[in-house]
PDB file of all heavy atoms in Angstrom:
ATOM      1  N   SER D 191      -0.707   5.021 -22.854  1.00 95.00           N
ATOM      2  CA  SER D 191       0.100   5.331 -24.031  1.00 95.00           C
ATOM      3  C   SER D 191      -0.500   6.446 -24.875  1.00 95.00           C
ATOM      4  O   SER D 191       0.186   7.050 -25.698  1.00 95.00           O
ATOM      5  CB  SER D 191       0.272   4.082 -24.907  1.00 95.00           C
ATOM      6  OG  SER D 191      -0.996   3.576 -25.301  1.00 95.00           O
ATOM      7  N   GLY D 192      -1.779   6.730 -24.690  1.00 95.00           N
ATOM      8  CA  GLY D 192      -2.437   7.784 -25.455  1.00 95.00           C
ATOM      9  C   GLY D 192      -2.900   8.917 -24.566  1.00 95.00           C
ATOM     10  O   GLY D 192      -2.841   8.838 -23.333  1.00 95.00           O
ATOM     11  N   PRO D 193      -3.376  10.011 -25.165  1.00 94.00           N
ATOM     12  CA  PRO D 193      -3.849  11.166 -24.392  1.00 94.00           C
ATOM     13  C   PRO D 193      -5.180  10.883 -23.709  1.00 94.00           C
ATOM     14  O   PRO D 193      -5.923   9.979 -24.106  1.00 94.00           O
ATOM     15  CB  PRO D 193      -3.991  12.262 -25.453  1.00 94.00           C
ATOM     16  CG  PRO D 193      -4.283  11.501 -26.714  1.00 94.00           C
ATOM     17  CD  PRO D 193      -3.485  10.237 -26.617  1.00 94.00           C
ATOM     18  N   ASN D 194      -5.464  11.662 -22.668  1.00 94.00           N
ATOM     19  CA  ASN D 194      -6.774  11.609 -21.997  1.00 94.00           C
ATOM     20  C   ASN D 194      -7.139  10.211 -21.508  1.00 94.00           C
ATOM     21  O   ASN D 194      -8.278   9.770 -21.618  1.00 94.00           O
ATOM     22  CB  ASN D 194      -7.871  12.150 -22.915  1.00 94.00           C
ATOM     23  CG  ASN D 194      -7.575  13.547 -23.399  1.00 94.00           C
ATOM     24  OD1 ASN D 194      -7.169  14.395 -22.613  1.00 94.00           O
ATOM     25  ND2 ASN D 194      -7.726  13.780 -24.688  1.00 94.00           N
ATOM     26  N   ALA D 195      -6.132   9.507 -20.968  1.00 94.00           N
ATOM     27  CA  ALA D 195      -6.332   8.169 -20.390  1.00 94.00           C
ATOM     28  C   ALA D 195      -6.862   7.171 -21.415  1.00 94.00           C
ATOM     29  O   ALA D 195      -7.691   6.327 -21.109  1.00 94.00           O
ATOM     30  CB  ALA D 195      -7.250   8.237 -19.178  1.00 94.00           C
ATOM     31  N   THR D 196      -6.363   7.272 -22.641  1.00 92.00           N
ATOM     32  CA  THR D 196      -6.713   6.308 -23.680  1.00 92.00           C
ATOM     33  C   THR D 196      -5.486   5.470 -24.011  1.00 92.00           C
ATOM     34  O   THR D 196      -4.378   5.742 -23.564  1.00 92.00           O
ATOM     35  CB  THR D 196      -7.210   7.018 -24.952  1.00 92.00           C
ATOM     36  OG1 THR D 196      -6.165   7.863 -25.441  1.00 92.00           O
ATOM     37  CG2 THR D 196      -8.441   7.853 -24.671  1.00 92.00           C
ATOM     38  N   GLY D 197      -5.693   4.463 -24.863  1.00 93.00           N
ATOM     39  CA  GLY D 197      -4.587   3.598 -25.245  1.00 93.00           C
ATOM     40  C   GLY D 197      -4.284   2.563 -24.181  1.00 93.00           C
ATOM     41  O   GLY D 197      -5.040   2.358 -23.233  1.00 93.00           O
ATOM     42  N   ARG D 198      -3.142   1.927 -24.317  1.00 95.00           N
ATOM     43  CA  ARG D 198      -2.744   0.840 -23.423  1.00 95.00           C
ATOM     44  C   ARG D 198      -2.217   1.398 -22.107  1.00 95.00           C
ATOM     45  O   ARG D 198      -1.481   2.387 -22.085  1.00 95.00           O
ATOM     46  CB  ARG D 198      -1.670   0.008 -24.125  1.00 95.00           C
ATOM     47  CG  ARG D 198      -1.099  -1.143 -23.319  1.00 95.00           C
ATOM     48  CD  ARG D 198      -0.141  -1.956 -24.184  1.00 95.00           C
ATOM     49  NE  ARG D 198       0.902  -1.115 -24.745  1.00 95.00           N
ATOM     50  CZ  ARG D 198       2.073  -0.894 -24.150  1.00 95.00           C
ATOM     51  NH1 ARG D 198       2.332  -1.431 -22.950  1.00 95.00           N
ATOM     52  NH2 ARG D 198       2.987  -0.142 -24.726  1.00 95.00           N
ATOM     53  N   MET D 199      -2.615   0.763 -20.986  1.00 96.00           N
ATOM     54  CA  MET D 199      -2.031   1.136 -19.708  1.00 96.00           C
ATOM     55  C   MET D 199      -0.601   0.606 -19.670  1.00 96.00           C
ATOM     56  O   MET D 199      -0.365  -0.574 -19.857  1.00 96.00           O
ATOM     57  CB  MET D 199      -2.817   0.583 -18.526  1.00 96.00           C
ATOM     58  CG  MET D 199      -2.253   1.063 -17.172  1.00 96.00           C
ATOM     59  SD  MET D 199      -3.011   0.279 -15.731  1.00 96.00           S
ATOM     60  CE  MET D 199      -4.678   0.902 -15.855  1.00 96.00           C
ATOM     61  N   THR D 200       0.346   1.501 -19.465  1.00 95.00           N
ATOM     62  CA  THR D 200       1.747   1.117 -19.519  1.00 95.00           C
ATOM     63  C   THR D 200       2.407   0.973 -18.151  1.00 95.00           C
ATOM     64  O   THR D 200       3.423   0.291 -18.027  1.00 95.00           O
ATOM     65  CB  THR D 200       2.543   2.160 -20.325  1.00 95.00           C
ATOM     66  OG1 THR D 200       2.412   3.450 -19.703  1.00 95.00           O
ATOM     67  CG2 THR D 200       2.027   2.236 -21.764  1.00 95.00           C
ATOM     68  N   ARG D 201       1.857   1.610 -17.152  1.00 94.00           N
ATOM     69  CA  ARG D 201       2.467   1.554 -15.823  1.00 94.00           C
ATOM     70  C   ARG D 201       1.446   1.927 -14.771  1.00 94.00           C
ATOM     71  O   ARG D 201       0.519   2.701 -15.028  1.00 94.00           O
ATOM     72  CB  ARG D 201       3.670   2.517 -15.757  1.00 94.00           C
ATOM     73  CG  ARG D 201       4.528   2.377 -14.497  1.00 94.00           C
ATOM     74  CD  ARG D 201       5.945   2.900 -14.764  1.00 94.00           C
ATOM     75  NE  ARG D 201       5.949   4.282 -15.200  1.00 94.00           N
ATOM     76  CZ  ARG D 201       6.103   5.316 -14.361  1.00 94.00           C
ATOM     77  NH1 ARG D 201       6.244   5.105 -13.060  1.00 94.00           N
ATOM     78  NH2 ARG D 201       6.114   6.551 -14.816  1.00 94.00           N
ATOM     79  N   HIS D 202       1.637   1.386 -13.562  1.00 94.00           N
ATOM     80  CA  HIS D 202       0.710   1.636 -12.459  1.00 94.00           C
ATOM     81  C   HIS D 202       1.505   1.688 -11.169  1.00 94.00           C
ATOM     82  O   HIS D 202       2.312   0.801 -10.882  1.00 94.00           O
ATOM     83  CB  HIS D 202      -0.340   0.523 -12.398  1.00 94.00           C
ATOM     84  CG  HIS D 202      -1.220   0.589 -11.197  1.00 94.00           C
ATOM     85  ND1 HIS D 202      -0.965  -0.108 -10.039  1.00 94.00           N
ATOM     86  CD2 HIS D 202      -2.348   1.291 -10.966  1.00 94.00           C
ATOM     87  CE1 HIS D 202      -1.906   0.143  -9.150  1.00 94.00           C
ATOM     88  NE2 HIS D 202      -2.753   0.989  -9.681  1.00 94.00           N
ATOM     89  N   THR D 203       1.325   2.750 -10.391  1.00 95.00           N
ATOM     90  CA  THR D 203       1.995   2.855  -9.096  1.00 95.00           C
ATOM     91  C   THR D 203       0.979   3.240  -8.034  1.00 95.00           C
ATOM     92  O   THR D 203      -0.045   3.864  -8.325  1.00 95.00           O
ATOM     93  CB  THR D 203       3.116   3.921  -9.112  1.00 95.00           C
ATOM     94  OG1 THR D 203       2.545   5.225  -9.297  1.00 95.00           O
ATOM     95  CG2 THR D 203       4.111   3.654 -10.226  1.00 95.00           C
ATOM     96  N   LYS D 204       1.276   2.880  -6.793  1.00 94.00           N
ATOM     97  CA  LYS D 204       0.395   3.218  -5.680  1.00 94.00           C
ATOM     98  C   LYS D 204       1.230   3.389  -4.425  1.00 94.00           C
ATOM     99  O   LYS D 204       2.157   2.625  -4.171  1.00 94.00           O
ATOM    100  CB  LYS D 204      -0.660   2.124  -5.473  1.00 94.00           C
ATOM    101  CG  LYS D 204      -1.751   2.487  -4.475  1.00 94.00           C
ATOM    102  CD  LYS D 204      -2.841   1.431  -4.458  1.00 94.00           C
ATOM    103  CE  LYS D 204      -3.986   1.810  -3.543  1.00 94.00           C
ATOM    104  NZ  LYS D 204      -5.079   0.796  -3.546  1.00 94.00           N
ATOM    105  N   GLN D 205       0.901   4.418  -3.636  1.00 94.00           N
ATOM    106  CA  GLN D 205       1.624   4.668  -2.400  1.00 94.00           C
ATOM    107  C   GLN D 205       0.672   5.119  -1.305  1.00 94.00           C
ATOM    108  O   GLN D 205      -0.345   5.738  -1.577  1.00 94.00           O
ATOM    109  CB  GLN D 205       2.711   5.730  -2.619  1.00 94.00           C
ATOM    110  CG  GLN D 205       2.170   7.131  -2.902  1.00 94.00           C
ATOM    111  CD  GLN D 205       3.252   8.109  -3.302  1.00 94.00           C
ATOM    112  OE1 GLN D 205       3.848   7.976  -4.366  1.00 94.00           O
ATOM    113  NE2 GLN D 205       3.501   9.101  -2.444  1.00 94.00           N
ATOM    114  N   ARG D 206       1.012   4.787  -0.073  1.00 91.00           N
ATOM    115  CA  ARG D 206       0.274   5.274   1.084  1.00 91.00           C
ATOM    116  C   ARG D 206       0.829   6.635   1.475  1.00 91.00           C
ATOM    117  O   ARG D 206       2.033   6.796   1.642  1.00 91.00           O
ATOM    118  CB  ARG D 206       0.392   4.282   2.241  1.00 91.00           C
ATOM    119  CG  ARG D 206      -0.216   4.733   3.593  1.00 91.00           C
ATOM    120  CD  ARG D 206      -1.695   5.080   3.529  1.00 91.00           C
ATOM    121  NE  ARG D 206      -2.554   4.109   2.915  1.00 91.00           N
ATOM    122  CZ  ARG D 206      -3.153   3.095   3.576  1.00 91.00           C
ATOM    123  NH1 ARG D 206      -2.962   2.954   4.871  1.00 91.00           N
ATOM    124  NH2 ARG D 206      -3.953   2.253   2.930  1.00 91.00           N
ATOM    125  N   CYS D 207      -0.050   7.629   1.583  1.00 90.00           N
ATOM    126  CA  CYS D 207       0.366   8.988   1.930  1.00 90.00           C
ATOM    127  C   CYS D 207       0.169   9.231   3.422  1.00 90.00           C
ATOM    128  O   CYS D 207      -0.793   8.753   4.016  1.00 90.00           O
ATOM    129  CB  CYS D 207      -0.443  10.010   1.142  1.00 90.00           C
ATOM    130  SG  CYS D 207      -0.338   9.833  -0.640  1.00 90.00           S
ATOM    131  N   HIS D 208       1.062   9.984   3.998  1.00 78.00           N
ATOM    132  CA  HIS D 208       0.939  10.399   5.396  1.00 78.00           C
ATOM    133  C   HIS D 208       1.199  11.897   5.474  1.00 78.00           C
ATOM    134  O   HIS D 208       1.878  12.386   6.362  1.00 78.00           O
ATOM    135  CB  HIS D 208       1.942   9.637   6.268  1.00 78.00           C
ATOM    136  CG  HIS D 208       1.756   8.157   6.260  1.00 78.00           C
ATOM    137  ND1 HIS D 208       0.817   7.503   7.031  1.00 78.00           N
ATOM    138  CD2 HIS D 208       2.361   7.198   5.540  1.00 78.00           C
ATOM    139  CE1 HIS D 208       0.869   6.200   6.810  1.00 78.00           C
ATOM    140  NE2 HIS D 208       1.797   5.986   5.898  1.00 78.00           N
ATOM    141  N   SER D 209       0.636  12.626   4.517  1.00 88.00           N
ATOM    142  CA  SER D 209       1.075  13.995   4.317  1.00 88.00           C
ATOM    143  C   SER D 209      -0.048  15.023   4.296  1.00 88.00           C
ATOM    144  O   SER D 209       0.002  15.986   3.537  1.00 88.00           O
ATOM    145  CB  SER D 209       1.882  14.087   3.014  1.00 88.00           C
ATOM    146  OG  SER D 209       2.944  13.172   3.024  1.00 88.00           O
ATOM    147  N   TYR D 210      -1.090  14.816   5.112  1.00 93.00           N
ATOM    148  CA  TYR D 210      -2.012  15.920   5.323  1.00 93.00           C
ATOM    149  C   TYR D 210      -1.228  17.069   5.949  1.00 93.00           C
ATOM    150  O   TYR D 210      -0.387  16.856   6.825  1.00 93.00           O
ATOM    151  CB  TYR D 210      -3.144  15.519   6.263  1.00 93.00           C
ATOM    152  CG  TYR D 210      -4.198  14.627   5.635  1.00 93.00           C
ATOM    153  CD1 TYR D 210      -4.448  13.356   6.144  1.00 93.00           C
ATOM    154  CD2 TYR D 210      -4.948  15.063   4.556  1.00 93.00           C
ATOM    155  CE1 TYR D 210      -5.421  12.543   5.583  1.00 93.00           C
ATOM    156  CE2 TYR D 210      -5.921  14.269   3.990  1.00 93.00           C
ATOM    157  CZ  TYR D 210      -6.154  12.997   4.503  1.00 93.00           C
ATOM    158  OH  TYR D 210      -7.114  12.218   3.931  1.00 93.00           O
ATOM    159  N   VAL D 211      -1.498  18.289   5.494  1.00 94.00           N
ATOM    160  CA  VAL D 211      -0.757  19.438   6.013  1.00 94.00           C
ATOM    161  C   VAL D 211      -1.686  20.360   6.803  1.00 94.00           C
ATOM    162  O   VAL D 211      -2.866  20.067   6.990  1.00 94.00           O
ATOM    163  CB  VAL D 211      -0.055  20.194   4.863  1.00 94.00           C
ATOM    164  CG1 VAL D 211       1.079  19.354   4.290  1.00 94.00           C
ATOM    165  CG2 VAL D 211      -1.041  20.584   3.772  1.00 94.00           C
ATOM    166  N   ARG D 212      -1.151  21.469   7.257  1.00 92.00           N
ATOM    167  CA  ARG D 212      -1.814  22.316   8.248  1.00 92.00           C
ATOM    168  C   ARG D 212      -3.261  22.672   7.903  1.00 92.00           C
ATOM    169  O   ARG D 212      -4.145  22.607   8.764  1.00 92.00           O
ATOM    170  CB  ARG D 212      -0.990  23.597   8.425  1.00 92.00           C
ATOM    171  CG  ARG D 212      -1.712  24.644   9.249  1.00 92.00           C
ATOM    172  CD  ARG D 212      -0.950  25.927   9.395  1.00 92.00           C
ATOM    173  NE  ARG D 212      -1.845  26.959   9.939  1.00 92.00           N
ATOM    174  CZ  ARG D 212      -1.420  28.100  10.454  1.00 92.00           C
ATOM    175  NH1 ARG D 212      -0.135  28.373  10.497  1.00 92.00           N
ATOM    176  NH2 ARG D 212      -2.295  28.978  10.914  1.00 92.00           N
ATOM    177  N   SER D 213      -3.503  23.084   6.658  1.00 92.00           N
ATOM    178  CA  SER D 213      -4.843  23.583   6.321  1.00 92.00           C
ATOM    179  C   SER D 213      -5.926  22.516   6.467  1.00 92.00           C
ATOM    180  O   SER D 213      -7.093  22.845   6.668  1.00 92.00           O
ATOM    181  CB  SER D 213      -4.852  24.147   4.894  1.00 92.00           C
ATOM    182  OG  SER D 213      -4.144  25.365   4.839  1.00 92.00           O
ATOM    183  N   MET D 214      -5.560  21.244   6.363  1.00 91.00           N
ATOM    184  CA  MET D 214      -6.543  20.179   6.560  1.00 91.00           C
ATOM    185  C   MET D 214      -7.136  20.274   7.967  1.00 91.00           C
ATOM    186  O   MET D 214      -8.354  20.205   8.160  1.00 91.00           O
ATOM    187  CB  MET D 214      -5.878  18.817   6.350  1.00 91.00           C
ATOM    188  CG  MET D 214      -6.823  17.645   6.495  1.00 91.00           C
ATOM    189  SD  MET D 214      -8.033  17.602   5.143  1.00 91.00           S
ATOM    190  CE  MET D 214      -8.869  16.065   5.503  1.00 91.00           C
ATOM    191  N   ILE D 215      -6.275  20.454   8.950  1.00 90.00           N
ATOM    192  CA  ILE D 215      -6.730  20.539  10.336  1.00 90.00           C
ATOM    193  C   ILE D 215      -7.416  21.876  10.601  1.00 90.00           C
ATOM    194  O   ILE D 215      -8.428  21.946  11.322  1.00 90.00           O
ATOM    195  CB  ILE D 215      -5.554  20.334  11.298  1.00 90.00           C
ATOM    196  CG1 ILE D 215      -4.983  18.923  11.120  1.00 90.00           C
ATOM    197  CG2 ILE D 215      -5.971  20.562  12.749  1.00 90.00           C
ATOM    198  CD1 ILE D 215      -5.999  17.806  11.351  1.00 90.00           C
ATOM    199  N   ASP D 216      -6.887  22.953  10.004  1.00 89.00           N
ATOM    200  CA  ASP D 216      -7.501  24.268  10.208  1.00 89.00           C
ATOM    201  C   ASP D 216      -8.954  24.283   9.726  1.00 89.00           C
ATOM    202  O   ASP D 216      -9.848  24.805  10.409  1.00 89.00           O
ATOM    203  CB  ASP D 216      -6.702  25.341   9.457  1.00 89.00           C
ATOM    204  CG  ASP D 216      -5.308  25.538  10.019  1.00 89.00           C
ATOM    205  OD1 ASP D 216      -5.090  25.154  11.184  1.00 89.00           O
ATOM    206  OD2 ASP D 216      -4.456  26.075   9.294  1.00 89.00           O
ATOM    207  N   ILE D 217      -9.206  23.691   8.546  1.00 88.00           N
ATOM    208  CA  ILE D 217     -10.561  23.675   7.997  1.00 88.00           C
ATOM    209  C   ILE D 217     -11.464  22.735   8.793  1.00 88.00           C
ATOM    210  O   ILE D 217     -12.638  23.034   9.043  1.00 88.00           O
ATOM    211  CB  ILE D 217     -10.521  23.286   6.504  1.00 88.00           C
ATOM    212  CG1 ILE D 217      -9.845  24.409   5.705  1.00 88.00           C
ATOM    213  CG2 ILE D 217     -11.919  23.026   5.966  1.00 88.00           C
ATOM    214  CD1 ILE D 217      -9.567  24.070   4.263  1.00 88.00           C
ATOM    215  N   LEU D 218     -10.923  21.594   9.219  1.00 87.00           N
ATOM    216  CA  LEU D 218     -11.716  20.686  10.061  1.00 87.00           C
ATOM    217  C   LEU D 218     -12.102  21.366  11.373  1.00 87.00           C
ATOM    218  O   LEU D 218     -13.233  21.240  11.846  1.00 87.00           O
ATOM    219  CB  LEU D 218     -10.923  19.412  10.358  1.00 87.00           C
ATOM    220  CG  LEU D 218     -10.925  18.328   9.284  1.00 87.00           C
ATOM    221  CD1 LEU D 218      -9.991  17.190   9.702  1.00 87.00           C
ATOM    222  CD2 LEU D 218     -12.329  17.793   9.051  1.00 87.00           C
ATOM    223  N   HIS D 219     -11.150  22.077  11.965  1.00 85.00           N
ATOM    224  CA  HIS D 219     -11.429  22.770  13.227  1.00 85.00           C
ATOM    225  C   HIS D 219     -12.553  23.778  13.053  1.00 85.00           C
ATOM    226  O   HIS D 219     -13.458  23.875  13.895  1.00 85.00           O
ATOM    227  CB  HIS D 219     -10.163  23.467  13.720  1.00 85.00           C
ATOM    228  CG  HIS D 219     -10.382  24.382  14.887  1.00 85.00           C
ATOM    229  ND1 HIS D 219     -10.473  25.759  14.760  1.00 85.00           N
ATOM    230  CD2 HIS D 219     -10.575  24.118  16.204  1.00 85.00           C
ATOM    231  CE1 HIS D 219     -10.686  26.296  15.941  1.00 85.00           C
ATOM    232  NE2 HIS D 219     -10.755  25.325  16.835  1.00 85.00           N
ATOM    233  N   GLU D 220     -12.522  24.523  11.943  1.00 84.00           N
ATOM    234  CA  GLU D 220     -13.586  25.491  11.697  1.00 84.00           C
ATOM    235  C   GLU D 220     -14.938  24.790  11.587  1.00 84.00           C
ATOM    236  O   GLU D 220     -15.947  25.250  12.127  1.00 84.00           O
ATOM    237  CB  GLU D 220     -13.308  26.267  10.407  1.00 84.00           C
ATOM    238  CG  GLU D 220     -14.366  27.313  10.098  1.00 84.00           C
ATOM    239  CD  GLU D 220     -14.525  27.579   8.613  1.00 84.00           C
ATOM    240  OE1 GLU D 220     -14.016  26.793   7.804  1.00 84.00           O
ATOM    241  OE2 GLU D 220     -15.178  28.580   8.269  1.00 84.00           O
ATOM    242  N   GLY D 221     -14.955  23.649  10.892  1.00 81.00           N
ATOM    243  CA  GLY D 221     -16.201  22.908  10.744  1.00 81.00           C
ATOM    244  C   GLY D 221     -16.734  22.371  12.061  1.00 81.00           C
ATOM    245  O   GLY D 221     -17.940  22.403  12.314  1.00 81.00           O
ATOM    246  N   TYR D 222     -15.827  21.895  12.902  1.00 85.00           N
ATOM    247  CA  TYR D 222     -16.253  21.341  14.188  1.00 85.00           C
ATOM    248  C   TYR D 222     -16.783  22.419  15.120  1.00 85.00           C
ATOM    249  O   TYR D 222     -17.694  22.185  15.911  1.00 85.00           O
ATOM    250  CB  TYR D 222     -15.076  20.624  14.863  1.00 85.00           C
ATOM    251  CG  TYR D 222     -14.947  19.168  14.489  1.00 85.00           C
ATOM    252  CD1 TYR D 222     -14.531  18.798  13.225  1.00 85.00           C
ATOM    253  CD2 TYR D 222     -15.244  18.157  15.399  1.00 85.00           C
ATOM    254  CE1 TYR D 222     -14.400  17.466  12.867  1.00 85.00           C
ATOM    255  CE2 TYR D 222     -15.124  16.820  15.065  1.00 85.00           C
ATOM    256  CZ  TYR D 222     -14.704  16.474  13.788  1.00 85.00           C
ATOM    257  OH  TYR D 222     -14.592  15.155  13.436  1.00 85.00           O
ATOM    258  N   THR D 223     -16.214  23.617  15.047  1.00 83.00           N
ATOM    259  CA  THR D 223     -16.626  24.672  15.972  1.00 83.00           C
ATOM    260  C   THR D 223     -17.738  25.547  15.397  1.00 83.00           C
ATOM    261  O   THR D 223     -18.398  26.270  16.144  1.00 83.00           O
ATOM    262  CB  THR D 223     -15.420  25.577  16.313  1.00 83.00           C
ATOM    263  OG1 THR D 223     -14.891  26.140  15.099  1.00 83.00           O
ATOM    264  CG2 THR D 223     -14.338  24.778  17.017  1.00 83.00           C
ATOM    265  N   ASN D 224     -17.921  25.488  14.048  1.00 79.00           N
ATOM    266  CA  ASN D 224     -18.953  26.281  13.371  1.00 79.00           C
ATOM    267  C   ASN D 224     -18.843  27.753  13.756  1.00 79.00           C
ATOM    268  O   ASN D 224     -19.834  28.412  14.066  1.00 79.00           O
ATOM    269  CB  ASN D 224     -20.353  25.754  13.690  1.00 79.00           C
ATOM    270  CG  ASN D 224     -21.407  26.356  12.762  1.00 79.00           C
ATOM    271  OD1 ASN D 224     -21.144  26.574  11.583  1.00 79.00           O
ATOM    272  ND2 ASN D 224     -22.589  26.612  13.285  1.00 79.00           N
ATOM    273  N   ALA D 225     -17.621  28.247  13.760  1.00 78.00           N
ATOM    274  CA  ALA D 225     -17.392  29.628  14.168  1.00 78.00           C
ATOM    275  C   ALA D 225     -16.267  30.224  13.338  1.00 78.00           C
ATOM    276  O   ALA D 225     -15.425  29.513  12.791  1.00 78.00           O
ATOM    277  CB  ALA D 225     -17.032  29.691  15.650  1.00 78.00           C
ATOM    278  N   GLN D 226     -16.265  31.541  13.244  1.00 79.00           N
ATOM    279  CA  GLN D 226     -15.186  32.228  12.539  1.00 79.00           C
ATOM    280  C   GLN D 226     -13.865  31.996  13.257  1.00 79.00           C
ATOM    281  O   GLN D 226     -13.787  32.074  14.478  1.00 79.00           O
ATOM    282  CB  GLN D 226     -15.488  33.723  12.479  1.00 79.00           C
ATOM    283  CG  GLN D 226     -14.367  34.547  11.878  1.00 79.00           C
ATOM    284  CD  GLN D 226     -14.749  36.006  11.753  1.00 79.00           C
ATOM    285  OE1 GLN D 226     -15.365  36.396  10.783  1.00 79.00           O
ATOM    286  NE2 GLN D 226     -14.400  36.807  12.755  1.00 79.00           N
ATOM    287  N   VAL D 227     -12.815  31.683  12.472  1.00 81.00           N
ATOM    288  CA  VAL D 227     -11.479  31.491  13.031  1.00 81.00           C
ATOM    289  C   VAL D 227     -10.571  32.551  12.419  1.00 81.00           C
ATOM    290  O   VAL D 227     -10.180  32.447  11.256  1.00 81.00           O
ATOM    291  CB  VAL D 227     -10.939  30.080  12.737  1.00 81.00           C
ATOM    292  CG1 VAL D 227      -9.588  29.882  13.419  1.00 81.00           C
ATOM    293  CG2 VAL D 227     -11.928  29.014  13.191  1.00 81.00           C
TER     294      VAL D 227
END
């Protein structure tokens, strides 16, 4: 209810995400290969 996460908690939601996108894999691939891509 207040600024900067102060005051009373008025609502809470939670969801499971399945939305990693392309750059997640691109950066992981670079890390695994330790080479310029």
